Amino acid sequence: MIRFFEHYSLKDYNTFGIDVKAKYFFECTDLEDLQVFLSSNKEWRTEPFFILGGGSNLLFQDDYNGLVIHPNVPGITRIKEDRQHVWLEVGAGEVWDDLVEYCVNSEYGGLENLSHIPGSVGAAPVQNVGAYGREASQFIETVNGLDLQTLEAWQIPTEDCGFGYRDSIFKGKLKGRFVVTSVVFKLDKFPEFDLSYGVVEQEVEKLGEATLQNIRKAIIQIRDSKLPNPSVIGNAGSFFKNPVVTNSVVGKLMAEFGSMPVYKINEIESKLAAGWLIEQCGWKGFREGDAGVHEKQALVVVNHGKATGQELFQLSEKIKGSVKEKFGIELQREVNVV
Ligand code: EPU
């Protein structure tokens, strides 16, 4: 199936709910349709273009004056199995949380801690989504897609994906060159649980035994108690990354801010909690017009209704400025600003 529109509203295609328009919008449900579209319409190759997945990590500042490509490939297929593992090929257009639910119901372990993350399967490797001690990359075997330079199908094994904290080659070197059409996940039939993050173990214990179902339930409870549901309040999850700094910077900051949360990575570096830094600057629950900061998680910028992309961007700039001034730390956006 393909769909093509001109001057098409993207309001329902970004979880901030920003009402901008794409000059051209192309949606397809398989890789061949995209190959045919791009090769038979050579003029598209000269238009600026943008690849839109689930739109859950995006802030549009303005109308998009080019071609928006929305690969909406469906399907969850079991392609291989052995005694320990099962391999699923999942279309980029599948809803991420539907995949997690499917895995939990099928007793396939791995993704349960990543329950309720908004967005599509295709965006998961780009962003290397993560939460509560797990990252998607731990369970990705290959990322399949289309090379927009050669218009050939391309399968990229996980070791070549450059996965890091909320980072991958798809955000870096291959940005604008590669469209994800499906992802192959390798999941465990005899899962090892990871309950190590924060209150996860405690919440699971309240529900009884540690099972995939109970972990999913506990994670959903923890997430929903802090993070706003994008279908109720526009948001894109964490707006900034948690900054990684050297331990000597940590030492200096701790001398002044003794209660600051610090997650040691190794002897050289640690990660700080951006949400804590932002809260200390007084932003938690802030609202100006319809642009705001979530009242329970200061790392989440929210659209209470009619905020524009520019208003939200300006707010994020002010937040960055105040964290820089108070702590000397340069926050980096996690959200992709277009
Ligand atoms: N904190 C505050 N004030 C706040 C927010 C957090 O003091 O307003 C403190 C908390 O008390 C805690 C620490 O900061 O001590 C960490 O908070 P939390 O456990 O809520 O996690 P986070 O570091 O703020 C990260 C991810 C989330 C992910 C959670 C759980 C990033 C940028 N964010 O948030 O991911 O769900 O951990 O693993 O790494 C996302 O990427 O969109 C996202 C929501």
Side-chain angles (χ1 to χ4, degrees):
M1 190 269 294
I2 60 169
R3 300 196 312 150
F4 181 78
F5 301 103
E6 280 182 51
H7 304 291
Y8 189 64
S9 171
L10 300 175
K11 190 169 191 303
D12 295 336
Y13 292 84
N14 71 100
T15 57
F16 266 122
I18 306 284
D19 196 5
V20 288
K21 288 195 170 60
K23 189 171 165 198
Y24 305 109
F25 180 90
F26 176 80
E27 178 180 345
C28 61
T29 49
D30 65 53
L31 176 86
E32 287 78 30
D33 287 336
L34 183 56
Q35 277 169 316
V36 170
F37 175 78
L38 291 174
S39 55
S40 56
N41 300 276
K42 290 263 176 354
E43 68 272 27
W44 296 128
R45 310 283 291 276
T46 57
E47 282 281 337
F49 66 87
F50 174 75
I51 302 150
L52 173 69
S56 61
N57 201 43
L58 263 187
L59 178 63
F60 285 111
Q61 283 195 276
D62 245 317
D63 287 345
Y64 190 73
N65 192 23
L67 169 68
V68 170
I69 298 171
H70 181 49
N72 199 6
V73 180
I76 301 180
T77 316
R78 207 168 57 188
I79 54 171
K80 197 164 94 177
E81 185 165 11
D82 66 15
R83 237 171 53 78
Q84 298 282 339
H85 297 108
V86 59
W87 284 259
L88 300 180
E89 180 171 359
V90 188
E94 288 291 328
V95 171
W96 173 262
D97 195 53
D98 291 351
L99 168 65
V100 178
E101 189 180 30
Y102 171 88
C103 292
V104 167
N105 289 341
S106 312
E107 300 286 332
Y108 302 152
L111 306 181
E112 56 284 356
N113 291 30
L114 307 176
S115 290
H116 259 205
I117 293 183
S120 63
V121 167
V126 178
Q127 176 67 0
N128 187 15
V129 294
Y132 307 103
R134 288 256 163 108
E135 285 183 347
S137 57
Q138 292 171 264
F139 302 91
I140 290 176
E141 179 130 309
T142 46
V143 178
N144 303 330
L146 184 70
D147 179 345
L148 291 170
Q149 265 174 24
T150 60
L151 297 186
E152 274 168 27
W154 190 359
Q155 299 187 328
I156 305 186
T158 193
E159 57 275 17
D160 295 341
C161 291
F163 286 126
Y165 166 58
R166 299 294 191 278
D167 201 16
S168 74
I169 195 169
F170 311 108
K171 275 179 116 175
K173 218 169 80 185
L174 293 188
K175 188 174 176 183
R177 169 151 180 208
F178 184 78
V179 186
V180 179
T181 52
S182 71
V183 181
V184 176
F185 294 89
K186 180 183 176 187
L187 302 156
D188 294 319
K189 289 184 179 171
F190 304 99
E192 274 178 38
F193 305 135
D194 186 343
L195 309 179
S196 59
Y197 188 97
V199 294
V200 174
E201 185 160 19
Q202 249 169 282
E203 290 299 315
V204 172
E205 268 171 18
K206 283 189 207 160
L207 296 169
E209 238 186 298
T211 59
L212 293 177
Q213 296 282 357
N214 281 343
I215 295 172
R216 175 166 165 83
K217 269 192 212 153
I219 296 282
I220 289 175
Q221 274 168 18
I222 299 167
R223 249 193 111 82
D224 293 357
S225 70
K226 280 194 171 181
L227 294 168
N229 179 345
S231 57
V232 182
I233 304 179
N235 77 90
S238 302
F239 200 92
F240 299 99
K241 289 189 189 188
N242 283 331
V244 174
V245 298
T246 63
N247 291 333
S248 77
V249 169
V250 172
K252 283 180 203 141
L253 285 171
M254 285 303 275
E256 202 180 334
F257 307 101
S259 63
M260 182 178 75
V262 178
Y263 308 97
K264 195 168 167 190
I265 300 173
N266 53 38
E267 290 314 313
I268 301 163
E269 289 178 321
S270 294
K271 207 186 256 183
L272 304 180
W276 186 89
L277 300 171
I278 295 168
E279 181 175 350
Q280 297 305 306
C281 294
W283 289 106
K284 201 170 185 169
F286 173 88
R287 178 168 178 172
E288 190 172 39
D290 274 349
V293 175
H294 190 50
E295 59 193 11
K296 295 188 195 139
Q297 194 1 324
L299 194 45
V300 180
V301 170
V302 292
N303 177 8
H304 288 284
K306 292 201 155 53
T308 63
Q310 281 175 12
E311 283 164 350
L312 294 168
F313 180 77
Q314 288 313 325
L315 172 60
S316 76
E317 284 289 281
K318 287 185 200 158
I319 295 171
K320 266 184 90 166
S322 65
V323 168
K324 172 84 180 157
E325 195 179 310
K326 190 172 170 88
F327 298 101
I329 287 178
E330 194 82 51
L331 291 181
Q332 276 179 21
R333 265 180 273 276
E334 189 196 295
V335 163
N336 195 359
V337 177
V338 185

